[in-house]
Amino acid sequence: MLAALNAYVLLGGADFGGGVWDLLATKPRREEQRALIAHAIGPIWEANHVWLILVVVLLFTCFPPAFATIVTELHIPLTLMLVGVVLRGSAFTFRTYDSSADDVQRRWGLVFSWSSILTPAALGICVGAMSAGAVGSASSNPGAPFLERFVLPWTNPFVLGVGLFALVLFAFLAAVYLTVEAEGDVGLQRDFRRRALGAGMALFLCAFGTLALARAYAPRILVGVTQSPAALPLQLATAVMALLAFAALIVRRYRVARLAAGAQVSLILWGWGISLYPFIIPETLTIQAAAAPPITLRLTLGALALGAVVLVPSLVYLFRVFKARPSAFASLDESPESSH
């Protein structure tokens, strides 16, 4: 499940980050920036959701008590997240095929951008509420008033901070990826390099701000990410990858920056997952207690292996077709303004 979530963050997360930069696109290359984002997202954005679907299916099948608790206690942010996914995909499609009139394009563009902000923020809020133990506390008091049980657990400063952290994380990934997508256009590469460095600094501030809030609202996660046996090597590896990503951006080695940023984000995610162990819902439900019967787990493992035989080659082929040609965005190269 964590591996599937990792794939979703690296691939789908960057797509959502692209929506952030679509909203923040600025002159003189605003239209070129938006065209590059649409070009980068267009061929694969639907396929990236397969990883989120896999996470949900595995949680439902292999850990049904955890699935029931999470979707019940966090049904409001989860619904907001799903609404964001639907609105974003719909707006992206309608913006492509609807009228090219400015007001129509502006309307769909705003829906696309704001839903791209809503979805990762809601995802981060769900992760934060789980990490803080708020989900487990809420489920242990079924007679609590609606506000206390279904709203307050995901609206404390730490949880909202994790939502902001997830949003900035996705924006950082997208900006780094777009420096590679813009190969051949120095102006666009410079635009997204500047955004990547800014988002990286914002990510740094969000990380320390969230950790500071964890002391009061999520002490378990703070101990897990700072004092567990795996904490030190994971923190060191994350710091090295972060510095490498920054250094590569500064010297304009964009492909190296993309690899380092992906590794940095993956290490952050796995550090979070390890900090929760042995719980799947902290303080309430362990992985072992939430696990389905062994026969279900074995059958699911077999289904995963069979599914991988179809899924992995299909995705590799998809990426080779649409992503193996950096010069595919050639139309922008013809723009005199884009090279300034």
Side-chain angles (χ1 to χ4, degrees):
M1 251 172 37
L2 200 53
L5 186 60
N6 197 164
Y8 184 65
V9 168
L10 291 180
L11 300 173
D15 287 353
F16 287 107
V20 175
W21 298 122
D22 186 277
L23 180 67
L24 300 178
T26 54
K27 291 182 177 179
R29 287 180 286 270
R30 180 165 55 196
E31 297 310 316
E32 287 86 348
Q33 291 166 10
R34 287 176 171 166
L36 175 62
I37 293 167
H39 167 80
I41 295 175
I44 55 169
W45 69 271
E46 290 176 293
N48 288 335
H49 287 306
V50 73
W51 301 111
L52 180 61
I53 295 169
L54 183 57
V55 172
V56 174
V57 169
L58 289 177
L59 183 63
F60 174 78
T61 307
C62 301
F63 305 99
F67 176 86
T69 301
I70 291 170
V71 299
T72 300
E73 307 304 332
L74 294 176
H75 70 275
I76 295 176
L78 285 173
T79 301
L80 291 174
M81 179 182 161
L82 292 177
V83 168
V85 169
V86 173
L87 283 179
R88 178 178 170 279
S90 302
F92 187 80
T93 302
F94 281 113
R95 190 172 70 169
T96 303
Y97 296 106
D98 201 350
S99 166
S100 59
D102 288 346
D103 58 334
V104 175
Q105 290 293 307
R106 191 180 306 112
R107 181 176 65 239
W108 290 123
L110 286 174
V111 175
F112 169 69
S113 296
W114 283 107
S115 55
S116 295
I117 292 173
L118 171 67
T119 306
L123 175 62
I125 284 172
C126 293
V127 169
M130 286 178 57
S131 305
V135 173
S137 300
S139 65
S140 63
N141 189 14
F146 183 88
L147 185 68
E148 183 179 332
R149 181 177 174 185
F150 296 117
V151 178
L152 294 182
W154 56 273
T155 53
N156 70 54
F158 169 77
V159 174
L160 296 177
V162 176
L164 178 62
F165 178 80
L167 178 61
V168 175
L169 186 74
F170 289 179
F172 170 66
L173 266 184
V176 175
Y177 289 3
L178 285 167
T179 60
V180 179
E181 294 286 342
E183 276 185 345
D185 191 313
V186 176
L188 282 174
Q189 279 192 317
R190 188 167 57 233
D191 290 344
F192 286 106
R193 170 178 173 266
R194 187 166 56 245
R195 286 163 171 75
L197 290 170
M201 291 301 298
L203 185 63
F204 179 79
L205 296 175
C206 284
F208 278 90
T210 306
L211 276 179
L213 291 169
R215 186 179 300 279
Y217 295 95
R220 176 180 178 78
I221 197 75
L222 180 64
V223 171
V225 299
T226 58
Q227 299 178 25
S228 70
L232 182 59
L234 276 172
Q235 297 292 348
L236 287 175
T238 305
V240 169
M241 288 299 111
L243 291 173
L244 179 59
F246 263 78
L249 284 169
I250 290 171
V251 299
R252 294 176 171 78
R253 299 293 298 273
Y254 298 121
R255 289 181 178 271
V256 175
R258 181 172 63 177
L259 288 174
Q264 174 193 354
V265 171
S266 298
L267 286 165
I268 291 172
L269 181 68
W270 283 90
W272 166 76
I274 291 172
S275 72
L276 295 182
Y277 186 82
F279 292 99
I280 191 168
I281 298 178
E283 315 301 344
T284 303
L285 202 56
T286 64
I287 295 173
Q288 189 171 12
I295 182 62
T296 303
L297 298 179
R298 284 197 291 271
L299 288 172
T300 304
L301 186 62
L304 277 176
L306 290 174
V309 173
V310 177
L311 178 64
V312 174
S314 301
L315 288 177
V316 170
Y317 182 69
L318 182 70
F319 275 82
R320 288 192 62 183
V321 169
F322 290 105
K323 293 292 184 183
R325 294 175 300 156
S327 61
F329 199 64
S331 59
L332 285 183
D333 297 339
E334 298 171 0
S335 169
E337 190 178 40
S338 63
S339 60
H340 297 324

